[in-house]
């Protein structure tokens, strides 16, 4: 079985997504500057038990962005619209990096709609280390981009960004895209302990112990204050923890305890 590509209109938003498998619905939310295609290895691992959907986030890949701006709140509302349009019941949601930030917002803005959440590489506030990391990548201020610095830091992936995000707005869209990403990343919300505690869905916080954008301390803050949090730390790995087998072992074990078969 292989993933099938679909498009869905939600108001003026044309969402592109991949679908594979049968069972309880499970949504995969990718990181910033990535696309649904980044879940190519993960989808078959999950499709034996779940009906897996991998979405291109607003403005990413083959999903358009009529507003020409990005926010995690809007991303979360887009996910809610997707769930409603397809009539999905209590989907499980796995988000990584920006996808994890979106899943966190979803838990806040749409209580009771998710069966469980996985927040991978996710933080609850813009820490000094997080901001310094973004500045080092070439994002000096919200909406500002040092394109030469980004190209140097991202290497070959920089050219991939240009190609994978040109479908709706043409070959020069990458410039506006990165400016919108800069605004998104550098205006990350700071969530209070009270806000985090209001998220009642079972939630796995999973982080690489050497993740320079987040790290163990930030993962622990999320875990301690979520209403039903669990914590998994992947040893000797940075922000790329999602690529490690141990990451998926922890995720599958968590999901198996919280999917509808356990209701």
């Amino acid at each position: 079985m292989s993933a099938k590509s679909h498009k869905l209109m939600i108001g003026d938003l044309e969402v592109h997504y991949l679908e594979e498998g049968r069972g309880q619905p499970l949504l995969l939310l990718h990181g910033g500057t990535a696309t649904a295609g980044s879940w190519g290895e993960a989808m078959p691992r999950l499709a034996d038990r779940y009906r897996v959907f991998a979405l291109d986030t607003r403005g990413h890949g083959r999903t358009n962005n009529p507003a020409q701006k990005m926010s995690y709140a809007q991303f979360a509302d887009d996910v809610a619209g997707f769930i409603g349009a397809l009539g999905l019941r209590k989907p499980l949601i796995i988000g990584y990096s920006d996808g994890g930030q979106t899943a966190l917002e979803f838990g806040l803005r749409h209580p009771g709609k998710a069966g469980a959440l996985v927040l991978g590489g996710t933080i609850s506030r813009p820490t000094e280390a997080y901001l310094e990391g973004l500045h080092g990548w070439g994002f000096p201020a919200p909406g500002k981009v040092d394109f030469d610095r980004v190209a140097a830091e991202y290497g070959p992936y920089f050219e991939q960004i240009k190609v994978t995000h040109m479908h709706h707005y043409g070959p020069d869209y990458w410039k506006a895209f990165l400016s919108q990403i800069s605004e998104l990343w550098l205006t990350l919300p700071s969530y209070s302990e009270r806000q985090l505690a209001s998220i009642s869905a079972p939630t796995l916080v999973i982080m690489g112990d050497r993740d320079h954008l987040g790290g163990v301390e930030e993962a622990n803050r999320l875990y301690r204050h979520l209403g039903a949090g669990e914590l998994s730390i992947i040893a000797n790995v940075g922000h790329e923890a999602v690529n490690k087998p141990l990451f998926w072992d922890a995720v599958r074990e968590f999901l198996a305890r919280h999917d509808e078969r356990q209701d």
Side-chain angles (χ1 to χ4, degrees):
M1 185 182 298
S2 59
K4 295 183 178 180
S5 176
H6 303 279
K7 289 186 178 180
L8 175 69
M9 293 301 300
I10 305 172
D12 60 355
L13 184 70
E14 183 181 66
V15 179
H16 170 258
Y17 66 97
L18 304 174
E19 180 181 355
E20 183 175 358
R22 295 181 180 180
Q24 184 176 6
L26 185 155
L27 274 56
L28 295 172
L29 308 180
H30 62 73
T33 75
T35 68
S38 65
W39 297 110
E41 293 185 10
M43 291 189 74
R45 299 176 187 174
L46 298 164
D48 62 337
R49 184 179 178 99
Y50 304 104
R51 183 184 177 193
V52 184
F53 300 88
L55 287 65
D56 276 346
T57 300
R58 172 184 291 259
H60 292 63
R62 297 177 183 272
T63 295
N64 69 346
N65 186 10
Q68 286 299 299
K69 60 183 179 180
M70 301 179 185
S71 74
Y72 296 113
Q74 182 62 68
F75 290 170
D77 291 348
D78 292 342
V79 172
F82 181 86
I83 291 169
L86 290 182
L88 306 180
R89 175 187 174 274
K90 302 268 300 194
L92 307 166
I93 300 178
I94 301 175
Y96 199 79
S97 195
D98 266 9
Q101 303 300 151
T102 298
L104 177 60
E105 276 281 353
F106 184 89
L108 282 169
R109 297 173 67 84
H110 302 280
K113 294 292 182 67
L117 302 170
V118 175
L119 309 181
T122 305
I123 59 177
S124 61
R125 55 191 175 182
T127 64
E128 184 176 342
Y130 169 81
L131 294 174
E132 286 181 355
L134 296 182
H135 295 161
W137 286 355
F139 301 99
K144 304 296 183 182
V145 185
D146 180 339
F147 294 111
D148 292 337
R149 182 67 177 268
V150 174
E153 291 292 325
Y154 279 43
Y157 182 65
F158 184 70
E159 295 303 317
Q160 186 177 335
I161 289 173
K162 295 181 181 181
V163 173
T164 55
H165 298 91
M166 63 183 288
H167 301 286
H168 278 280
Y169 302 111
D172 292 327
Y173 170 62
W174 63 274
K175 297 177 183 177
F177 172 75
L178 288 176
S179 296
Q180 293 165 26
I181 285 287
S182 175
E183 180 79 24
L184 175 74
W185 287 353
L186 289 168
T187 58
L188 178 81
S190 183
Y191 300 96
S192 69
E193 295 175 5
R194 184 174 181 178
Q195 283 179 297
L196 297 175
S198 73
I199 299 176
S200 59
T203 303
L204 174 64
V205 177
I206 184 164
M207 183 81 73
D209 66 344
R210 305 186 183 209
D211 190 327
H212 66 287
L213 295 181
V216 175
E217 183 178 346
E218 288 306 306
N220 190 51
R221 181 177 189 263
L222 263 177
Y223 155 69
R224 285 189 295 109
H225 296 299
L226 288 167
E230 301 183 24
L231 177 63
S232 181
I233 301 296
I234 309 300
N236 196 35
V237 65
H239 199 60
E240 71 279 9
V242 69
N243 299 322
K244 299 296 182 180
L246 280 175
F247 178 96
W248 291 104
D249 290 345
V251 168
R252 285 180 67 93
E253 191 274 337
F254 169 78
L255 294 178
R257 288 187 286 107
H258 295 291
D259 68 23
E260 63 186 6
R261 304 179 201 199
Q262 302 300 316
D263 290 349

